[in-house]
Amino acid sequence: MSDLIRNTTWDDLRVGAWAALDRVCTPQDLLLFAHVSGNLNPLVVPSDGEPKDPTVVAPSMWVGSIISSVLGNVLPGPGTLYRMQTLRFSRRVAIGERLMVMVTCVAKGDCPKAVFETLVVDAEGATVCEGLAEVDAPTVPVAMPARELPHFHLDHKDHFARLLAAAKARPAMPTAVVCPDDRNALGGALLARDEGLIEPVLIGDLEAIRRAAAERGTDLAGIRLVAAEDHRDAARRAVAMAAAGEVAAIMKGNLHSDELLAEVVRKDAGLRGTRRLSHVFVMSVPSLDHPLFISDAALNIAPDLVTKVDIVQNAIDLAIACGVERPRVGVLAAVETVNVNMPSTLDAAALSKMAERGQIRGGLVDGPLAMDNAVDLEAARTKGIASLVAGRADVLVVPNLEAGNMLAKELTFVARADAAGLVVGARVPIILTSRADNDRARVASCALAQLHDAWRRSGTSLFAAAPLLAAAE
């Protein structure tokens, strides 16, 4: 930042001098204050699911603390140190309120002592807080660049909470769980059952499944068990049950994805739809104010243009099912311009034009876009990209599996995002969890299956007020 902050020394300070700053109370302010102070009183700390809860008020000491921003930055400015502060609070401050903080010099003592009247008022001019501050004013002139503090990304943005709440409103979904014969696979299925999301049917080696249950101290009473000879047989039985309508979803357990999907895509299995299967990650990223959909990072290794059409449409459908009314789809490449030497940019441009012509429905598609200008408005503006998608993408379509896998894992392990995922394009949703997934990811993936199933069956998102046109499978 180029602006300079200058102070007023004790010698130059005059009684009657005043300064003011305004400040809006945000959920982030209160969460950071809770971290610093250790005050976890629920009346002053926004909850994970409702960061703008109107019943939450700012801690009075947070209101008092913002007075120091005027004393330290403006008057007297850099070099000022507190001696004492009195505070009297007249009313509470709600999240979103704009406050004006004013300080007025009312007395000077022996150098460097100075006394300031302090006042915080709301947008209507009503007093929120008032008092007196006694400080040591600076004695040496200072002119310094305004400092830009490091950015904080708080983990409270739980984009899965809304999805889970909607999914739990539906009856539990009968779900074939294939080879849940280790602690993680079985634990995820049972947790989703306890959350009311699925009604599991456990298929596989029954002795191994019971052994995994014993390790967890879990009782399998009341849960249907189906014996299978091996992984392939378990996958085949799950697919047959789904084709017969006995279950509405399939959940991967302790087997390789290709073992399960090989049975799903068999022509005689009855689960193939009119599109290619693709995988969609749904990421809850702390730095974003909406869930981020990424496809395909797990299934199609090097998709051609025809496959990418299905990948885009599948991702749009899932985003709509999750309450995104008209998903903005950014088709990623290394650059945001078409380059004949980079096939991914040609595919991206073709997908964008196909969406304009109605060959891809339900979303806004634009590409090629680089990662920065797909998700960051300032980056898009800097590069002069005029687009309804650039900087606002809900869905990111990657050029190949390697790029998608790296992107999803970077967001998970570097940006501390939570990830859920679903395979779509078949006649039932397929919950394709990873051994590295935690319990929350497994439960959120089951919620995605519920939401997609509801949309596919009715053509209506559980979040929508009016029916949405569902693409025929």
Side-chain angles (χ1 to χ4, degrees):
M1 297 176 65
S2 59
D3 293 343
L4 291 178
I5 296 178
R6 300 178 186 276
N7 67 0
T8 300
T9 64
W10 184 88
D11 288 334
D12 295 332
L13 182 63
R14 296 292 180 262
V15 173
W18 66 277
L21 289 175
D22 65 347
R23 178 72 174 265
V24 175
C25 177
T26 69
Q28 290 79 10
D29 289 329
L30 306 194
L31 288 165
L32 284 170
F33 191 81
H35 272 284
V36 172
S37 67
N39 179 7
L40 304 181
N41 180 353
L43 294 177
V44 297
V45 180
S47 65
D48 289 345
E50 295 291 339
K52 296 184 180 179
D53 186 345
T55 64
V56 171
V57 297
S60 295
M61 292 308 296
W62 174 83
V63 176
S65 72
I66 62 178
I67 295 170
S68 65
S69 65
V70 186
L71 293 170
N73 296 338
V74 186
L75 186 74
T80 301
L81 292 174
Y82 258 121
R83 284 173 175 251
M84 181 187 73
Q85 172 79 61
T86 64
L87 298 168
R88 182 168 58 253
F89 301 97
S90 302
R91 59 169 293 251
R92 305 300 177 190
V93 173
I95 292 173
E97 280 199 72
R98 182 175 293 276
L99 304 175
M100 178 69 72
V101 187
M102 295 176 282
V103 303
T104 304
C105 182
V106 293
K108 292 176 64 177
D110 294 337
C111 182
K113 179 181 174 182
V115 180
F116 288 82
E117 181 182 82
T118 60
L119 179 66
V120 181
V121 299
D122 62 19
E124 305 299 324
T127 298
V128 172
C129 172
E130 57 188 331
L132 287 176
E134 184 179 308
V135 303
D136 284 344
T139 57
V140 178
V142 173
M144 56 180 285
R147 183 175 177 183
E148 186 170 347
L149 293 174
H151 293 289
F152 283 96
H153 296 308
L154 299 176
D155 292 338
H156 81 281
K157 293 182 179 177
D158 182 3
H159 302 304
F160 291 155
R162 176 171 169 266
L163 305 182
L164 285 165
K168 289 178 184 180
R170 297 188 80 213
M173 175 186 295
T175 301
V177 186
V178 185
C179 300
D181 51 25
D182 71 348
R183 288 177 58 89
N184 288 340
L186 180 61
L190 296 180
L191 183 58
R193 177 203 61 174
D194 295 341
E195 293 286 339
L197 294 169
I198 69 171
E199 181 185 325
V201 178
L202 308 181
I203 306 173
D205 182 334
L206 299 189
E207 183 177 342
I209 293 172
R210 292 190 178 103
R211 191 162 52 244
E215 289 177 7
R216 292 183 56 89
T218 302
D219 186 359
L220 298 181
I223 298 177
R224 182 181 174 189
L225 303 177
V226 176
E229 296 178 3
D230 52 30
H231 288 179
R232 183 177 179 182
D233 183 43
R236 184 181 295 116
R237 289 175 182 273
V239 168
M241 292 176 68
E246 295 181 55
V247 296
I250 296 173
M251 184 175 186
K252 172 180 171 286
N254 185 30
L255 76 166
H256 290 296
S257 298
D258 54 1
E259 292 180 291
L260 173 59
L261 296 175
E263 295 301 317
V264 172
V265 300
R266 279 195 304 109
K267 290 185 178 181
D268 61 348
L271 287 190
R272 291 178 60 169
T274 59
R275 299 189 204 140
R276 282 287 293 267
L277 272 64
S278 60
H279 182 272
V280 186
F281 274 117
V282 183
M283 316 286 294
S284 179
V285 185
S287 59
L288 297 179
D289 60 3
H290 60 86
L292 188 65
F293 298 76
I294 298 174
S295 190
D296 182 341
L299 220 60
N300 294 285
I301 297 174
D304 58 15
L305 179 60
V306 174
T307 302
K308 286 180 180 179
V309 172
D310 288 346
I311 289 171
V312 173
Q313 190 66 69
N314 286 340
I316 288 173
D317 290 351
L318 182 58
I320 291 173
C322 292
V324 184
E325 185 174 352
R326 190 165 178 78
R328 296 182 175 96
V329 182
V331 186
L332 296 184
V335 295
E336 62 280 348
T337 54
V338 174
N339 184 328
V340 295
N341 295 314
M342 299 179 69
S344 62
T345 67
L346 300 175
D347 286 351
L351 291 166
S352 179
K353 181 56 69 174
M354 292 172 78
E356 287 182 17
R357 299 290 173 86
Q359 292 172 268
I360 298 172
R361 295 178 293 162
L364 299 169
V365 181
D366 193 17
L369 293 173
M371 180 65 186
D372 56 347
N373 47 63
V375 298
D376 187 89
L377 270 174
E378 190 58 35
R381 291 191 184 109
T382 298
K383 294 194 175 181
I385 301 174
S387 165
L388 294 174
V389 174
R392 307 178 180 88
D394 304 298
V395 179
L396 299 178
V397 173
V398 296
N400 54 50
L401 183 144
E402 290 174 310
N405 187 271
M406 285 186 279
L407 173 58
K409 287 183 177 176
E410 284 167 358
L411 289 173
T412 301
F413 294 102
V414 178
R416 298 189 64 186
D418 287 327
L422 197 69
V423 172
V424 290
R427 296 197 180 278
V428 298
I430 300 166
I431 305 160
L432 202 66
T433 54
S434 165
R435 284 173 293 177
D437 286 343
N438 58 27
D439 284 344
R440 183 155 184 78
R442 294 173 188 273
V443 170
S445 297
C446 291
L448 295 180
Q450 277 274 22
L451 298 174
H452 189 269
D453 181 69
W455 178 83
R456 187 182 64 82
R457 290 177 183 274
S458 67
T460 304
S461 164
L462 293 179
F463 300 94
L468 297 168
L469 178 62
E473 291 286 337

